[in-house]
Amino acid sequence: MSNKNIGIKDVAAAAGVSVTTVSHVLNDVSYARISSETRAKVKSAAAQLSYGPNRLAQALRTRRTGLLGLVSEDIATTPHAGRIILGADDAARARGYNLMIVNTSISASPGSRNADVEGLLERQVDGILYATMYHRILDVPGNLGTVPAVLVGAVSSGSTIAAVVPDEEGGAKTAVTALLAAGHTRIGFLNSTDDVPSSHGRLRGFTDTLSAAGLDGAAAPVQTGPSEVQGGYEAALRMLQLSKPPTGIFCYNDRMAMGAYRAAAELGLSVPADLSIVGFDDQELIAGNLHPGLTTVALPHYEMGAWATGALIDAIEGKVDLAGLELHPTVLDCPLLTRGSVGPPRIPLRPEGTFAQHRA
């Protein structure tokens, strides 16, 4: 039973460490770089002093339960976006909160989503995160705004809910800039046929970056297809059989890039000697296992989960007003991960006639 007269500062003093270190140890913060010896010392000091947070007393005093709800729209079932949950959980633990996860599906009915949120509200969560599998415009459950809420990887179609999303245009700029820096002046884009913010944002980033480099971005070859391996393969075949095919290709995602690898191989082209390819998403099972490894832009899944949780807790504790974050989503950078799929073009091209006048 915990001693109500003993506080975290007493534990820190007894263990000879900082209050932050005690908090990280007792909340099992996974990213904290604390030696096993120090962890043992902190836990021993806490045990000797009979220190432990009295959740019931805290709840009565603050009218908070220390629970956060996370509605996971399919992300809990995939390693691709699962780092959203890891980032959220780490950030929650660091602040003394616990995460309660409910999995739903993009195909779930509005009534089912409302029921998922209601289930969390019945457990008196202090706030709710709603995380989507990919960047999209979301019809949020009507009861989501009952407590402080933040969307992760999505923006609300109607009601104003604070949100954090990846920088789609900036990520595309980073990808195209990598190809430009390698010397490519004829660059194509394999885009998704999905009508979602990511396909529109990445296309804008692609054309604007080429135009800013003095090339005709509006005339750059663009082929579209389903955002899967087969879609990338078919779109790449069409692009690579143009009269003036590109020497570098930016792909909507890593799955389409994998299809582009296959198309290049069938046409006798070597990556990156004959064709450079850049993906998007950093799906490790794909990007790290293609040969050569795929240079790609990473989605900030962990960072989005951590940022959203920090903002949510700040709102719960009265440190920020989420209303100030509702008009525009917070946008996080998408960094480039360099592997082996980008090299200089085999034959330098003159600026004139850089692009074939063709679009799918």
Side-chain angles (χ1 to χ4, degrees):
M1 187 171 183
S2 63
N3 187 336
K4 65 180 180 180
N5 296 316
I6 297 296
I8 192 171
K9 291 182 180 179
D10 299 308
V11 177
V17 298
S18 69
V19 169
T20 299
T21 298
V22 173
S23 176
H24 283 174
V25 170
L26 297 184
N27 285 296
D28 293 322
V29 177
S30 61
Y31 61 78
R33 295 182 177 179
I34 301 172
S35 69
S36 57
E37 180 182 356
T38 299
R39 289 181 183 274
K41 188 186 300 183
V42 169
K43 290 179 180 179
S44 175
Q48 290 175 10
L49 295 173
S50 299
Y51 172 77
N54 188 323
R55 290 296 185 192
L56 178 58
Q58 288 178 349
L60 291 172
R61 184 176 67 254
T62 64
R63 295 188 178 182
R64 297 195 296 266
T65 61
L67 290 176
L68 303 178
L70 190 154
V71 179
S72 156
E73 190 183 86
D74 294 320
I75 66 173
T77 61
T78 173
H80 174 44
R83 285 181 60 80
I84 289 176
I85 296 176
L86 181 60
D89 188 55
D90 281 349
R93 287 173 179 267
R95 299 282 292 271
Y97 286 74
N98 291 311
L99 204 61
M100 182 178 295
I101 301 170
V102 173
N103 191 57
T104 187
S105 171
I106 189 173
S107 60
S109 68
S112 176
R113 292 178 189 167
N114 271 277
D116 290 333
V117 172
E118 192 60 36
L120 292 172
L121 294 174
E122 288 174 355
R123 287 160 178 79
Q124 299 184 329
V125 295
D126 297 324
I128 294 178
L129 303 167
Y130 195 109
T132 56
M133 179 64 177
Y134 60 86
H135 186 181
R136 68 188 190 89
I137 299 173
L138 177 70
D139 292 327
V140 300
N143 54 356
L144 187 61
T146 307
V147 293
V150 179
L151 301 179
V152 187
V155 292
S156 171
S157 61
S159 60
T160 52
I161 301 287
V164 58
V165 297
D167 185 356
E168 306 288 5
E169 291 187 42
K173 177 181 179 180
T174 296
V176 175
T177 298
L179 292 168
L180 290 168
H184 296 273
T185 56
R186 194 159 67 214
I187 301 170
F189 179 35
L190 304 186
N191 200 7
S192 170
T193 51
D194 295 330
D195 183 14
V196 291
S198 52
S199 61
H200 300 304
R202 294 174 196 183
L203 177 60
R204 283 194 302 272
F206 169 74
T207 55
D208 289 352
T209 304
L210 291 177
S211 297
L215 303 172
D216 189 354
V222 176
Q223 294 284 344
T224 60
S227 57
E228 300 296 336
V229 176
Q230 186 66 20
Y233 164 72
E234 293 173 356
L237 276 182
R238 294 194 301 269
M239 181 172 287
L240 292 172
Q241 294 181 89
L242 296 174
S243 59
K244 292 183 179 179
T247 60
I249 293 180
F250 165 47
C251 300
Y252 171 78
N253 64 15
D254 294 347
R255 297 190 299 277
M256 294 189 79
M258 187 175 183
Y261 268 63
R262 176 186 164 194
E266 287 191 8
L267 295 173
L269 301 175
S270 174
V271 177
D274 301 305
L275 178 68
S276 289
I277 298 175
V278 179
F280 207 119
D281 288 356
D282 189 35
Q283 294 189 24
E284 294 181 16
L285 292 177
I286 295 176
N289 289 293
L290 288 172
H291 183 72
L294 177 65
T295 292
T296 186
V297 176
L299 286 170
H301 287 130
Y302 182 94
E303 292 78 8
M304 289 194 298
W307 183 93
T309 303
L312 184 64
I313 293 173
D314 283 344
I316 291 167
E317 296 180 351
K319 297 176 182 178
V320 299
D321 183 358
L322 287 178
L325 303 173
E326 291 171 353
L327 295 179
H328 302 286
T330 295
V331 178
L332 299 188
D333 291 341
C334 300
L336 183 75
L337 296 183
T338 302
R339 295 188 177 93
S341 62
V342 175
R346 185 179 291 278
I347 302 175
L349 299 169
R350 296 189 301 274
E352 59 268 25
T354 298
F355 296 127
Q357 301 294 319
H358 180 84
R359 280 180 180 265

